């Protein structure tokens, strides 16, 4: 296969009378930004002016000379790996065709059109905003209110039109590679790799490779085993097409925390003049969802190689609203944070896009199981012939592209549409419900049965299995639970439920001060300013943060302290839920906690635990602790859970605590649980310890402890789990009243830094809760942060940034 890249310098027309030069892959916004012809759309309210630019059409063009090797080929094709979105393509004045789906690749036969010299390639991009407005006049399609009206009419990432965490910046351009392809005899059109596993006294794994091509050239297939000691050894070579073969001594792939991620390499080569080669990496594993009836309803548990495991992760959205800013390096950083935080799963939300190949490659390497939504979210669609043809081609392409990945765990038809059809949202009616069933319970699953039969399919998220049967059933399937946050109920509400698999639940916070500075002027730094509200897309949410803050902390008297307090609220809310569900994982009852959301698409107040600049919020530090493979947590009963308010009728104090050790590993874990009831000065009032043994994949509850006879405004419980080797691997503390009512004493936090070792030692004079290390001169990242500590010292290491001007604060400072 001869390939000639047509990436690089192109010209764009349509911005007034100017011809703008830029780089493809690229877009209207990237061309204008690179030439400093528009302001940063993320700064203050520049989004509003940037949006107007999308009301017109644009043209992208370039000239090129054709590689003589391609000109001499019998077959010559122009390929676009991705066009955004409505386009017509011309080569040397000849119209090749059109494109109308962001999520597809496009190919055009250019035989007899290509010239050796001075070819002119033109791509006319039509306004997406005008298009959806005109289509909406023809017929209405309802969808998320935060997005632009009519967005479901176009197969383009829905969130580009706005969402309750993203701006309205529906950019347009050529977002993936452009290339010429040339070949003579044959071309590989499909490589399907299937695995057959038999677990009987050992691992019997067979692989079958099916290669489809346009001709009949001889095919060479090889399998190389994973690297060992920096070497690769060929396991099998010169295999026959369509033939099963047994893998000697197979090395199984496991999710993060359960084992290694060995990856085999399958290479397919056509033995003809083109010598076209396709390379795919695979992991040997079975991966599905275990569903069986039980005393509560039906399990919904991820299962790898026959073992169920508690799913721990978050929901992923596109990393930037400007697609040209995507990069392997950015995604590696984000998924690296996930791996360090013990994620074993990630859900790709259905209102964005199907990520690049490197996203899935990294998930394969890191052991992060992918829940893959199809790109349909919070919207109704009309099943015209053209729409059915378009989405069928889209699903087929993506299934063939992604099905071989070890990390691909589940296909899901859409985000929240079954639930909203039942509720009647988005102007749903009998027609939309009929079309829903055809699209997600017939068209898409039929394609996947053919193209990706070994991957579990689920019709929607949330769903109890389809057919509009109680999609939010807490006793079967997956659930999106939003009463905490949208419903305004307290965190304690989580403990009323035992969801089988929680695939969305979240709580908002503001980003840190460094990120706020990136989009504001000093006069904007009030959470109810116009600019701060422009960077908060969930209507009324800044007030909601204050509502929850009023239940928990004293009123912050500085803007920066308010940002800090909001992040603690978010972290405590999600921690409260995750710990509860992990404590109740026995018998595969609660088997998944995937919080909303992992990342941001621009600098904004949102549900993310990692902000747009990949700065970790408090929640991400908490996640590293509450997703730890072995974790100790506490189910406390206190003034908040019993009385709810200080003005409630006085009643006897109830302060109890049940500790629980959760073990999500293969090992039987032995160690000691140590606890102490302390006053604000860290003086011990009561203490105890207990040797425990936690079985693999289980939760071990300890006996309830009753502290009702103590002063709950002056006492807190600290606890930890220490292994047989003497390592403290998990710890925490709980209060028996709201933090705003606890009698904290000033811990007088002091910092001692070793610049050579890049270590920071914090000294506290009293009990300090949610200690944050930070700098006024830039972002600093640590091995741990936002932690509780008794009087004494604690040492962490700097990972990123300078620690020369570090400061520290704790909940005591929220006042």
């Amino acid at each position: 296969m001869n390939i000639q890249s047509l990436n690089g310098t192109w010209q764009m027309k349509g911005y007034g009378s100017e011809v703008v030069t830029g780089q493809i892959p690229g877009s209207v916004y990237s061309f204008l930004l690179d030439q400093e012809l528009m302001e940063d759309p993320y700064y203050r309210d520049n989004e509003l002016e940037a949006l107007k630019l999308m009301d017109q059409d644009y043209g992208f063009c370039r000239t090129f000379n054709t590689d003589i090797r391609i000109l001499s080929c019998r077959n010559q094709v122009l390929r676009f790996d991705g066009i955004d979105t409505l386009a017509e393509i011309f080569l040397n004045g000849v119209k090749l065709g059109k494109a109308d789906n962001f999520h597809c690749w496009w190919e055009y036969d250019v035989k007899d059109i290509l010239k050796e010299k001075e070819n002119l390639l033109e791509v006319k991009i039509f306004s997406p905003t005008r298009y959806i407005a005109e289509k909406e006049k023809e017929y209405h399609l309802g969808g998320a209110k935060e997005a632009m009206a009519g967005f479901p009419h176009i197969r383009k990432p829905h969130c580009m039109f706005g969402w309750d965490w993203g701006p309205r910046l529906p950019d347009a351009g050529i977002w993936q590679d452009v290339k010429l392809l040339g070949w003579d005899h044959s071309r590989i059109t499909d490589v399907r790799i299937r695995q057959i596993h038999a677990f009987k006294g050992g691992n019997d794994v067979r692989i079958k490779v099916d290669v489809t091509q346009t001709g009949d050239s001889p095919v060479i297939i090889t399998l190389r085993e994973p690297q060992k000691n920096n070497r690769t050894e060929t396991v099998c070579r010169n295999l026959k097409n369509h033939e099963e073969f047994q893998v000697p001594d197979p090395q199984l792939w496991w999710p993060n925390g359960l084992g290694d991620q060995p990856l085999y390499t399958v290479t397919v080569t056509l033995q003809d003049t083109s010598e076209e080669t396709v390379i795919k990496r695979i992991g040997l594993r079975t991966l599905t969802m275990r569903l069986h009836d039980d005393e509560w309803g039906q399990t919904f548990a991820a299962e790898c190689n026959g073992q169920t495991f508690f799913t721990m992760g978050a929901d992923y959205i596109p990393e930037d609203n400007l697609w040209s800013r995507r990069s392997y390096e950015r995604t590696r950083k984000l998924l690296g944070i996930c791996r360090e935080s013990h994620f074993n799963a990630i859900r790709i939300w259905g209102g964005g896009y199907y990520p690049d190949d490197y996203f899935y490659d990294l998930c394969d390497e890191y052991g992060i199981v992918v829940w893959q939504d199809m790109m349909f979210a919070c919207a109704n669609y009309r099943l015209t012939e053209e729409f059915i043809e378009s989405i069928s081609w889209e699903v087929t392409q993506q299934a063939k592209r992604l099905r071989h990945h070890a990390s691909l765990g589940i296909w899901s038809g859409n985000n929240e549409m079954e639930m909203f059809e039942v509720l009647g949202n988005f102007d749903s009616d009998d027609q939309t419900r009929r079309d829903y069933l055809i699209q997600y319970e017939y068209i898409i699953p039929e394609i996947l049965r053919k193209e990706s039969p070994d991957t579990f399919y689920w019709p929607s998220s949330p769903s109890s299995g389809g057919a509009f049967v109680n999609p939010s059933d807490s006793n079967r399937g997956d659930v999106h639970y939003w009463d905490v946050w949208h419903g305004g109920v307290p965190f304690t509400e989580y403990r009323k439920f035992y969801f089988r698999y929680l695939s969305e639940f979240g709580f908002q916070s503001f980003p840190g001060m460094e990120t706020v500075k990136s989009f504001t002027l000093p006069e904007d730094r009030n959470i109810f300013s116009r600019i701060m509200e422009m960077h908060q897309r969930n209507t009324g949410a800044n007030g909601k943060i204050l509502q929850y803050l009023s239940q928990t902390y004293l009123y912050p008297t500085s803007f920066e302290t308010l940002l800090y307090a909001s992040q603690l609220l978010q972290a405590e809310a999600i921690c409260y839920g995750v710990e509860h569900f992990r404590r109740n994982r026995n018998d595969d009852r609660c088997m998944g906690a995937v919080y909303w959301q992992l990342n941001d698409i621009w600098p904004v107040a949102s549900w993310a635990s990692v902000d747009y600049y990949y700065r970790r919020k408090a929640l991400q530090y908490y996640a590293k602790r509450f997703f730890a493979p072995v974790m100790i947590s506490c189910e406390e009963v206190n003034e908040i859970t019993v009385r709810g308010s200080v003005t409630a009728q006085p009643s006897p104090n109830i302060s109890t605590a049940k500790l629980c050790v959760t073990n999500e590993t293969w090992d039987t874990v032995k160690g000691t649980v140590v606890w102490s009831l302390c006053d604000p000065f860290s003086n011990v009032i009561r203490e105890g310890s207990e040797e425990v043994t936690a079985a693999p994949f289980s939760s071990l509850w300890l006996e309830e402890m009753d502290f009702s006879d103590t002063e709950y405004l002056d006492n807190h419980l600290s606890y930890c789990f220490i292994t047989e080797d003497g390592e403290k691997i998990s710890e925490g503390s709980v209060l028996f009243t709201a933090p705003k009512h606890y009698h904290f004493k000033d811990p007088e936090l002091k910092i001692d830094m070793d610049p050579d070792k890049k270590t920071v030692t914090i000294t506290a004079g009293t009990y300090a809760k949610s200690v944050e290390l930070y700098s006024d001169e830039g972002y600093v990242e640590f091995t741990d942060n936002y932690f509780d500590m008794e009087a004494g010292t604690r040492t962490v290491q700097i990972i990123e940034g300078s620690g020369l001007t570090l400061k520290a604060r704790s909940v005591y400072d929220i006042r």
Side-chain angles (χ1 to χ4, degrees):
M1 176 68 71
N2 295 294
I3 302 174
Q4 179 182 346
S5 173
L6 296 180
N7 293 348
T9 302
W10 287 53
Q11 292 184 322
M12 182 182 77
K13 300 176 181 178
Y15 184 71
S17 59
E18 295 191 48
V19 175
V20 183
T21 300
Q23 296 296 304
I24 292 295
S27 67
V28 173
Y29 290 154
S30 72
F31 272 55
L32 297 177
L33 285 167
D34 289 348
Q35 297 298 322
E36 299 182 350
L37 294 172
M38 67 178 288
E39 299 292 333
D40 176 3
Y42 296 168
Y43 185 64
R44 303 194 81 223
D45 58 359
N46 287 347
E47 168 201 351
L48 300 175
E49 290 301 313
L51 175 59
K52 296 176 184 177
L53 294 172
M54 301 319 302
D55 287 337
Q56 61 192 69
D57 302 336
Y58 292 86
F60 293 85
C61 65
R62 68 158 295 170
T63 58
F64 64 92
N65 298 331
T66 308
D67 188 320
I68 192 65
R69 291 171 299 177
I70 290 179
L71 274 179
S72 64
C73 289
R74 297 177 188 171
N75 301 282
Q76 300 163 15
V77 166
L78 173 65
R79 179 182 173 101
F80 292 84
D81 286 341
I83 298 177
D84 180 14
T85 292
L86 305 171
E88 290 180 348
I89 295 86
F90 298 84
L91 179 62
N92 297 327
V94 178
K95 182 177 178 180
L96 302 179
K98 67 174 187 176
D100 59 7
N101 190 325
F102 178 100
H103 307 293
C104 292
W105 51 258
W106 301 90
E107 290 188 349
Y108 308 94
D109 186 351
V110 292
K111 180 72 172 175
D112 301 325
I113 303 175
L114 273 178
K115 301 185 298 185
E116 182 179 353
K117 302 286 187 180
E118 293 298 315
N119 292 277
L120 175 62
L121 176 57
E122 300 171 284
V123 180
K124 184 174 183 180
I125 303 286
F126 298 97
S127 164
T129 53
R130 285 210 323 266
Y131 177 82
I132 63 172
E134 291 165 2
K135 295 296 290 186
E136 188 67 1
K137 291 177 182 177
E138 294 179 24
Y139 58 90
H140 172 62
L141 289 178
K145 64 182 181 181
E146 294 85 1
M148 297 180 71
F151 75 88
H153 289 283
I154 186 172
R155 291 306 297 148
K156 177 181 173 72
H158 291 345
C159 62
M160 293 178 80
F161 293 99
W163 218 258
D164 57 5
W165 36 256
R168 297 182 183 95
L169 292 171
D171 201 2
I174 302 170
W175 73 282
Q176 289 276 40
D177 293 337
V178 188
K179 64 194 78 169
L180 287 171
L181 309 177
W183 71 95
D184 284 323
H185 301 291
S186 188
R187 178 190 183 189
I188 297 172
T189 56
D190 192 24
V191 175
R192 181 194 296 253
I193 305 167
R194 299 194 68 177
Q195 302 179 26
I196 302 94
H197 290 250
F199 301 103
K200 295 180 180 179
N203 295 321
D204 181 349
V205 182
R206 298 172 186 272
I207 291 179
K208 182 182 179 185
V209 181
D210 294 307
V211 181
T212 305
Q213 57 176 308
T214 58
D216 57 358
S217 296
V219 178
I220 297 177
I221 305 171
T222 63
L223 176 73
R224 290 186 180 271
E225 71 177 18
Q227 287 189 352
K228 289 183 179 178
N229 301 322
N230 297 320
R231 296 188 317 172
T232 59
E233 299 176 4
T234 301
V235 176
C236 302
R237 65 168 72 243
N238 298 331
L239 303 172
K240 293 182 180 180
N241 199 7
H242 314 304
E243 179 183 271
E244 282 187 18
F245 60 92
Q246 187 165 3
V247 181
D249 301 317
Q251 302 174 53
L252 296 185
W253 183 94
W254 292 96
N256 186 29
L258 298 187
D260 295 330
Q261 293 79 44
L263 296 172
Y264 290 73
T265 303
V266 175
T267 303
V268 176
T269 303
L270 293 185
Q271 201 172 14
D272 60 18
T273 55
S274 73
E275 294 188 345
E276 181 186 5
T277 298
V278 173
I279 299 174
K280 294 182 181 291
R281 293 191 307 170
I282 64 170
L284 304 181
R285 90 293 184 266
T286 62
L287 192 56
T288 188
M289 302 299 294
R290 181 183 293 183
L291 281 67
H292 72 258
D293 294 341
D294 61 14
E295 61 182 295
W296 301 290
Q298 188 180 68
T299 64
F300 194 77
E303 175 185 303
C304 186
N305 301 326
Q307 175 62 52
T308 57
F309 60 93
F310 189 98
T311 298
M312 301 182 286
D315 297 283
Y316 171 88
I317 65 171
E319 294 169 59
D320 208 305
N321 210 96
L322 304 182
W323 254 251
S324 59
R325 293 179 177 174
R326 301 166 4 268
S327 73
Y328 169 81
E329 290 73 22
R330 290 180 67 177
T331 299
R332 182 178 63 182
K333 181 176 180 65
L334 182 64
L335 293 178
I337 292 171
C338 295
R339 179 178 60 172
E340 294 166 16
S341 302
H342 310 295
F343 284 33
N344 57 31
I346 193 167
R347 173 173 169 253
I348 299 174
W349 172 73
Y353 78 123
Y354 305 92
D356 297 86
D357 291 337
Y358 56 73
F359 181 99
Y360 303 92
D361 290 339
L362 288 165
C363 288
D364 293 344
E365 295 169 15
Y366 294 169
I368 300 175
V369 175
V370 174
W371 174 308
Q372 178 68 64
D373 279 3
M374 295 299 177
M375 290 303 117
F376 307 95
C378 301
N380 290 317
Y381 308 94
R382 180 169 291 187
L383 293 187
T384 63
E385 289 185 15
E386 294 80 5
F387 184 78
I388 292 173
E389 181 181 7
S390 179
I391 65 169
S392 297
W393 185 225
E394 170 189 326
V395 172
T396 299
Q397 284 189 18
Q398 298 300 336
K400 289 182 175 182
R401 180 172 74 96
L402 302 178
R403 65 191 176 198
H404 70 280
H405 282 282
S407 57
L408 181 62
I410 184 170
W411 293 110
S412 178
N414 65 82
N415 173 74
E416 297 187 337
M417 280 316 302
E418 182 182 9
M419 175 181 73
F420 286 136
E421 290 291 350
V422 170
L423 294 173
N425 289 26
F426 309 141
D427 304 310
S428 299
D429 55 25
D430 289 343
Q431 179 67 42
T432 64
R433 284 184 281 276
R434 169 190 170 277
D435 286 353
Y436 173 93
L437 292 173
I438 294 172
Q439 182 169 340
Y440 304 110
E441 300 192 17
Y442 177 71
I443 294 174
I444 292 176
E446 283 300 308
I447 293 171
L448 293 176
R449 267 188 211 100
K450 176 184 176 184
E451 303 297 349
S452 185
D454 301 322
T455 304
F456 183 87
Y457 176 72
W458 197 237
S460 183
S461 181
S463 180
S464 63
F468 300 139
V469 178
N470 193 6
S472 297
D473 191 338
S474 62
N475 291 312
R476 63 184 66 242
D478 73 308
V479 170
H480 295 186
Y481 179 73
W482 283 104
D483 284 355
V484 174
W485 182 254
H486 289 306
V489 302
F491 308 162
T492 53
E493 203 76 4
Y494 284 125
R495 293 185 184 171
K496 295 180 180 179
F497 299 95
Y498 300 86
F499 301 117
R500 311 317 295 261
Y501 190 111
L502 197 52
S503 51
E504 271 194 32
F505 65 114
F507 197 94
Q508 275 208 8
S509 73
F510 298 106
M513 181 59 94
E514 282 302 305
T515 296
V516 171
K517 287 178 180 178
S518 75
F519 63 84
T520 61
L521 292 170
E523 57 264 35
D524 300 325
R525 292 166 197 161
N526 181 301
I527 66 167
F528 297 124
S529 74
R530 185 175 186 85
I531 300 305
M532 287 297 292
E533 290 192 343
M534 281 292 294
H535 288 255
Q536 164 60 274
R537 307 316 279 255
N538 181 211
T539 304
N542 288 357
K544 185 162 290 184
I545 291 173
L546 284 189
Q547 172 197 337
Y548 274 101
L549 190 147
S550 72
Q551 301 168 17
T552 311
Y553 300 117
L554 296 175
Y555 186 78
T557 53
S558 76
F559 178 74
E560 192 166 356
T561 303
L562 174 54
L563 303 185
Y564 164 67
S566 78
Q567 292 197 19
L568 295 190
L569 277 173
Q570 178 189 39
E572 291 288 348
I574 302 306
C575 181
Y576 201 94
V578 171
E579 290 185 345
H580 166 68
F581 299 120
R582 288 194 66 185
R583 287 193 291 265
N584 290 280
R585 62 94 61 229
N586 287 341
D587 300 316
D588 286 351
R589 188 174 190 186
C590 301
M591 289 301 287
V594 178
Y595 65 79
W596 184 271
Q597 69 207 59
L598 172 62
N599 59 301
D600 276 328
I601 200 169
W602 73 318
V604 66
S606 78
W607 296 271
S609 58
V610 179
D611 78 15
Y612 172 73
Y613 296 103
Y614 301 87
R615 295 166 179 156
R616 303 185 197 206
K617 295 184 183 179
L619 172 55
Q620 196 60 52
Y621 284 101
Y622 271 55
K624 187 176 181 180
R625 298 193 285 266
F626 62 59
F627 282 157
V630 178
M631 177 197 69
I632 187 169
S633 64
C634 181
E635 183 177 272
E636 80 285 359
V637 175
N638 57 25
E639 184 181 38
I640 299 171
T641 58
V642 174
R643 299 183 67 209
S645 169
V646 296
T647 60
Q649 180 174 325
S651 60
N653 171 48
I654 299 177
S655 297
T656 64
K658 288 180 69 175
L659 297 175
C660 180
V661 177
T662 303
N663 177 17
E664 205 63 31
T665 75
W666 292 99
D667 300 322
T668 297
V669 177
K670 296 182 179 180
T672 305
V673 171
V674 179
W675 62 267
S676 57
L677 186 72
C678 301
D679 69 13
F681 294 98
S682 292
N683 297 315
V684 177
I685 299 168
R686 297 180 191 172
E687 60 184 345
S689 64
E690 182 177 343
E691 293 186 2
V692 299
T693 300
F697 304 103
S698 72
S699 289
L700 176 68
W701 288 86
L702 279 65
E703 291 295 320
E704 182 179 84
M705 298 180 287
D706 194 338
F707 305 117
S708 300
D709 60 338
T710 65
E711 295 296 328
Y712 62 93
L713 298 179
D714 291 284
N715 299 334
H716 64 273
L717 181 69
S718 289
Y719 49 87
C720 65
F721 180 73
I722 302 173
T723 65
E724 287 183 305
D725 299 331
E727 181 183 3
K728 185 190 294 184
I729 60 172
S730 182
E731 61 184 316
S733 70
V734 295
L735 306 178
F736 294 102
T737 186
K740 64 181 178 179
H741 296 147
Y742 185 73
H743 294 161
F744 285 105
K745 305 303 178 184
D746 187 355
E748 299 181 346
L749 298 170
K750 294 180 175 59
I751 295 171
D752 182 29
M753 180 184 172
D754 185 329
D756 296 326
K757 296 181 180 179
K758 299 199 78 174
T759 58
V760 180
T761 298
I762 308 95
T763 301
T766 65
Y767 170 60
K769 190 163 184 62
S770 304
V771 175
E772 181 199 16
L773 291 166
Y774 68 101
S775 172
D776 289 333
E777 297 183 7
Y779 173 71
V780 185
E781 186 176 308
F782 305 90
T783 51
D784 197 12
N785 209 352
Y786 302 94
F787 46 78
D788 299 348
M789 62 183 294
E790 295 295 343
T793 62
R794 183 158 183 165
T795 300
V796 298
Q797 193 156 13
I798 295 174
I799 297 174
E800 177 185 327
S802 170
L804 297 179
T805 58
L806 287 180
K807 297 181 178 180
R809 58 187 162 209
S810 69
V811 171
Y812 174 82
D813 297 296
I814 303 177
R815 60 185 63 227

